[in-house]
Amino acid sequence: CASLHRGGSVIFAPPRDFIEIVRTNQNIHTLMILREANLFSNSVSDKLKDKDKLSSIRVLGAHLPDRVRERLHTHLAKQVINSYSSNEAGQIAEILPNGEGQIYPDVELKIVDVGGTDLPIGKMGRVATRSAQQISSYLWNPELNATHFKDGWFISNDVGYLNAQGMLVYIDRADHMINLGGIKIPPKPFEEKIRALPFVSDCVLIGENAFFEIETLLVGVEVVK
C-alpha cells in the first residue's frame, strides 16, 4: 500500500515471469515481493547496469538470506530493503545486512515463552508484537486465537531474541525446531554455516527419531560439481 501511495509499483509474479517484467518496465521505483522465492535460476545470468537498476527493492516476509540479498543488489536494485513482516502483524522490523532487526517506531515487540510469559534480553523465545496495523483475531478459529492472541499481543511462531541494543535477532520458526534429547535446536544457523563451506550450494538439517525416543541429526548436502 505504501508503495502504491508513493507512486511505485507492486508486482505479484511467479519467478519465471519476474525477469521479463523487470526488463519491460524500466520505470519501476519500488518492488514488493510478498514471499521468498528463487528469483534467479541457473539460466538467469544477465546483470543490469547501474543506470538501469531499480531504485529499491523491498522484500516482505522473513529474513532475506545474504546470498539472495547480494544477488538482488548485484543484478537488479541499487538498494535492497528487507522488512520482517507477517500477514497478522504487518511490517515489524527492517532486517539490516548484519541480520539484526531494527524494530519500526510504531511497533512494540517482546520475546515470550510458550506460555506467553515475557523473557529477558538475550533469552530465545517466540516473537510477540503489538501495533495498530495488526489483526485482532482469526475468523472462526477460537483454538488459534487462544494460542496466538493475548492482551492485544500477537504471539507468532517465529523464534528469536532481543540483544542488548534492543535489536531483534531472528533465529527460525518454532515448528522447524529440532528436539534433540529435550534440547531445542534451531537448524537455520547450522545450515547457514554449512552453506558457507567450499563447494556447498545448499543443505538441510533434519531430525530423525531413533531408539529410546532420542532424535539424531541428519544433514543433506548439495555440492557444486
Side-chain angles (χ1 to χ4, degrees), residues 102-116:
Q102 187 170 16
I103 302 165
Y104 293 131
D106 58 343
V107 176
E108 295 179 77
L109 187 146
K110 63 181 181 178
I111 305 299
V112 300
D113 62 17
V114 292

Side-chain angles (χ1 to χ4, degrees), residues 55-75:
S55 61
S56 65
I57 289 181
R58 178 176 293 270
V59 181
L60 306 181
H63 171 64
L64 188 64
D66 292 342
R67 67 186 188 281
V68 178
R69 181 191 287 266
E70 179 60 30
R71 295 184 79 179
L72 287 171
H73 187 268
T74 300
H75 289 259

Side-chain angles (χ1 to χ4, degrees), residues 50-151:
D50 283 344
K51 67 180 182 63
D52 296 324
K53 285 184 178 180
L54 307 177
S55 61
S56 65
I57 289 181
R58 178 176 293 270
V59 181
L60 306 181
H63 171 64
L64 188 64
D66 292 342
R67 67 186 188 281
V68 178
R69 181 191 287 266
E70 179 60 30
R71 295 184 79 179
L72 287 171
H73 187 268
T74 300
H75 289 259
L76 286 178
K78 298 175 183 177
Q79 182 184 28
V80 178
I81 303 169
N82 181 198
S83 182
Y84 166 57
S85 56
S86 70
N87 291 332
E88 295 89 348
Q91 297 190 55
I92 300 166
E94 182 174 337
I95 305 297
L96 305 178
N98 65 2
E100 296 179 346
Q102 187 170 16
I103 302 165
Y104 293 131
D106 58 343
V107 176
E108 295 179 77
L109 187 146
K110 63 181 181 178
I111 305 299
V112 300
D113 62 17
V114 292
T117 302
D118 295 8
L119 294 175
I121 296 293
K123 186 72 172 179
M124 186 172 66
R126 298 200 178 198
V127 177
T129 61
R130 183 166 63 182
S131 71
Q133 62 184 327
Q134 74 184 31
I135 65 173
S136 59
S137 64
Y138 297 116
L139 289 176
W140 312 303
N141 202 322
E143 291 84 5
L144 275 182
N145 289 334
T147 300
H148 291 287
F149 295 93
K150 182 179 180 181
D151 300 327

Side-chain angles (χ1 to χ4, degrees), residues 33-44:
I33 304 169
L34 299 187
R35 66 182 180 85
E36 183 177 342
N38 180 16
L39 300 178
F40 301 99
S41 64
N42 293 332
S43 62
V44 177

Side-chain angles (χ1 to χ4, degrees), residues 27 32 42 47 70 76 89 105 122 139 145 147 159 161 168 171 181 191 203:
N27 293 323
M32 302 176 75
N42 293 332
K47 295 182 180 180
E70 179 60 30
L76 286 178
L139 289 176
N145 289 334
T147 300
V159 174
Y161 65 90
L168 172 66
I171 301 297
E191 292 171 346
C203 76

Side-chain angles (χ1 to χ4, degrees), residues 124 171-172 177-178 180 183-197 200 202-206 217-221:
M124 186 172 66
I171 301 297
D172 208 340
M177 300 288 276
I178 296 173
L180 186 63
I183 300 174
K184 301 298 191 297
I185 297 177
K188 183 178 178 181
F190 297 96
E191 292 171 346
E192 290 179 346
K193 289 181 181 294
I194 295 172
R195 290 191 188 101
L197 296 174
V200 174
D202 205 356
C203 76
V204 61
L205 183 68
I206 60 175
L217 293 179
L218 300 176
V219 182
V221 178

Side-chain angles (χ1 to χ4, degrees), residues 152-166:
W153 290 86
F154 169 66
I155 303 174
S156 72
N157 277 329
D158 292 337
V159 174
Y161 65 90
L162 291 171
N163 63 19
Q165 291 72 42

